[in-house]
Amino acid sequence: MNVSVDRAKCDNHGQCTFSAPTVFRLNEQGILEYDEKVDDSLRADVDEAADVCPMQAIIVTD
Ligand code: SF4
């Protein structure tokens, strides 16, 4: 699957990193980094991250 984050919406507070820590992480500057190509085995975690994102900034496509 493909993951993208709308940087204009993202507030970098990192709620997504708790749902899918192998995909989303905050760097040393506190800025969100993430994998754009993600194995489908992580779909449930990524969908949960998208659900909990308060800004609805995470877009998941096949
Ligand atoms: S949960 Fe959403 S707004 Fe928060 S860091 Fe992740 S993508 Fe950004």
Side-chain angles (χ1 to χ4, degrees), residues 4-31:
S4 66
V5 173
D6 185 339
R7 294 287 185 179
K9 292 181 179 176
C10 177
D11 62 8
N12 296 297
H13 286 169
Q15 286 91 332
C16 53
T17 67
F18 296 104
S19 297
T22 60
V23 177
F24 301 95
R25 65 201 77 86
L26 297 179
N27 68 18
E28 291 176 359
Q29 286 76 42
I31 302 299

Side-chain angles (χ1 to χ4, degrees), residues 32-57:
L32 181 72
E33 293 181 346
Y34 63 98
D35 298 337
E36 296 184 350
K37 292 281 187 186
V38 180
D39 191 271
D40 286 339
S41 64
L42 292 169
R43 182 78 191 219
D45 290 351
V46 171
D47 281 347
E48 181 181 301
D51 284 345
V52 300
C53 175
M55 310 307 290
Q56 294 295 292

